[in-house]
Amino acid sequence: MDFSSLIWVVIAVMALQPLLMGRWYALRREQAIRAIEKAHATRVITMIHRQERRSLFGFSVARHIDLEDAQTIIAAIKETPDTVPIDLILHTPGGLVLAAMQIARAVEAHPAKVTVYVPVYAMSGGTLIALAADEVVLGEFSVLGPIDPQILGLPAASIVKARDSKPVAQVMDLTLVLADVGEKALAQVKRGAVEILTPRLDQAAAEAIADKLAGGHWTHDYALTATEAKSLGLPVKVGMPIEIMDLMKLYPQPIQQSGVEFLPIDLPRRPRV
C-alpha cells in the first residue's frame, strides 16, 4: 500500500468513526431505556438536547424544541396505551412556544400518570412541558426556568416595559411593533400555562404560577431550584434514579441520535420560550 492509499484509508476511518460510535451509543441507549421501562413499568420517552461541537469538523450544533420534536413526542404519547404511565426525560434549553405547547397538551391529555424527569435542566419551553406532568422529579442540583416568551432574542416583558417607560411619541415604531407582539405573546403563554395547570390546580393558583413564571420577574436563564418550584405549588420531588443518570452518560455527542434529537429548524421570528 503506497502513502496516498494510506491517507485515503485514514480519511475513511475518520469519516466512519462518528457513524460507528453513533450506532454503538444508540444500541446502548436502547438497552438502557428498555431497562428503565422494565424497572418502572412505564413507557420511557426522551427529549435530550445537547449543545456541543462535532468531533470531526469542530462546529457547534444548537438544539432546541422545534416542530419536529412536537411531531415525534406527540406520536410517542399517542402510541402509548391509556393505562400505561409515561416517564418523560427532559434535558433542553427550550425552544418554540408552539412546539412546547403542543407537547405540553399531549402530556396533560395522557390518562395515566406522566412523570417528567429533569436530570440537569429543562429551561423555558422544557419547564412549560413539565407543568403538564403529574409529577416532576429533579436531581439535587437540577433546575427549571422561567417561561417568559422571547421576541427576536429579547424578553417580551422587557420590550413592553421599555415602551411604557416613555411617552409614545418618543418610542420608535419598531419598539411599538415588538411591544405589541410581546404583549400578545405574554398573554398567550400565560393562558397556555393556566390551561395545562388547571386540571391539577384551581384557577387562582394556576394563574399565580403562570404569572410568576411567564411575567418577566426573572432573567430568562434564571435557575429555578426544586425548593422554589415547590414554593410555587409545583408537584416537584427530589431524587433522580441512578439509571436515568446513567442513561444521560450515553448522550456524549450531538451527532448521535436517539429518541428525539434533531438539527433545529431556524424560525427566529416565532416567539420562543
Side-chain angles (χ1 to χ4, degrees):
M1 180 180 294
D2 57 24
F3 182 74
S4 62
S5 298
L6 181 60
I7 292 296
W8 281 110
V9 169
V10 171
I11 292 174
V13 170
M14 291 177 62
L16 289 174
Q17 187 267 344
L19 177 62
L20 296 175
M21 289 298 294
R23 292 282 187 176
W24 183 78
Y25 274 110
L27 177 60
R28 292 283 307 279
R29 286 194 291 266
E30 181 70 18
Q31 293 171 341
I33 288 171
R34 297 289 84 83
I36 296 171
E37 289 181 334
K38 183 177 180 180
H40 294 194
T42 61
R43 170 76 185 280
V44 173
I45 300 173
T46 65
M47 186 167 73
I48 298 174
H49 298 156
R50 292 289 192 182
Q51 289 182 297
E52 300 177 358
R53 291 184 178 274
R54 290 183 184 268
S55 58
L56 180 59
F57 301 106
F59 59 86
S60 297
V61 179
R63 291 160 182 261
H64 303 276
I65 302 171
D66 75 353
L67 298 176
E68 293 298 320
D69 272 334
Q71 178 181 349
T72 307
I73 293 290
I74 290 171
I77 292 173
K78 289 179 68 67
E79 291 169 0
T80 304
D82 291 348
T83 57
V84 175
I86 290 176
D87 288 343
L88 176 58
I89 303 173
L90 291 183
H91 177 80
T92 178
L96 294 179
V97 174
L98 171 59
M101 274 302 305
Q102 286 181 302
I103 296 170
R105 288 185 174 120
V107 167
E108 192 278 320
H110 187 66
K113 181 180 180 181
V114 178
T115 302
V116 164
Y117 289 88
V118 182
V120 184
Y121 62 82
M123 305 298 286
S124 196
T127 297
L128 185 62
I129 295 169
L131 296 181
D134 299 292
E135 184 177 54
V136 181
V137 179
L138 302 179
E140 183 181 2
F141 302 107
S142 303
V143 296
L144 303 173
I147 60 173
D148 55 310
Q150 310 292 294
I151 307 297
L152 298 180
L154 299 173
S158 296
I159 296 172
V160 174
K161 185 176 181 180
R163 179 201 62 187
D164 296 342
S165 66
K166 60 178 69 175
V168 68
Q170 300 179 18
V171 181
M172 293 176 57
D173 289 348
L174 177 60
T175 303
L176 293 174
V177 172
L178 293 177
D180 178 63
V181 175
E183 283 185 326
K184 294 171 182 175
L186 286 165
Q188 289 167 194
V189 171
K190 289 180 182 179
R191 186 167 61 248
V194 170
E195 173 194 330
I196 61 178
L197 283 166
T198 44
R200 292 168 302 283
L201 300 173
D202 60 51
Q203 186 75 17
E207 289 178 354
I209 292 174
D211 179 72
K212 189 67 174 177
L213 292 177
H217 301 283
W218 299 300
T219 60
H220 194 58
D221 63 350
Y222 180 76
L224 188 67
T225 65
T227 300
E228 288 181 288
K230 285 181 181 179
S231 70
L232 291 176
L234 299 180
V236 170
K237 172 184 175 183
V238 177
M240 188 60 53
I242 188 63
E243 58 267 27
I244 290 180
M245 295 306 299
D246 288 340
L247 174 64
M248 287 294 294
K249 296 175 183 177
L250 300 176
Y251 290 83
Q253 299 181 49
I255 57 172
Q256 296 161 350
Q257 300 183 358
S258 172
V260 182
E261 292 187 327
F262 59 98
L263 296 178
I265 300 172
D266 184 17
L267 298 173
R269 296 188 180 277
R270 298 194 182 198
R272 304 179 73 93
V273 291

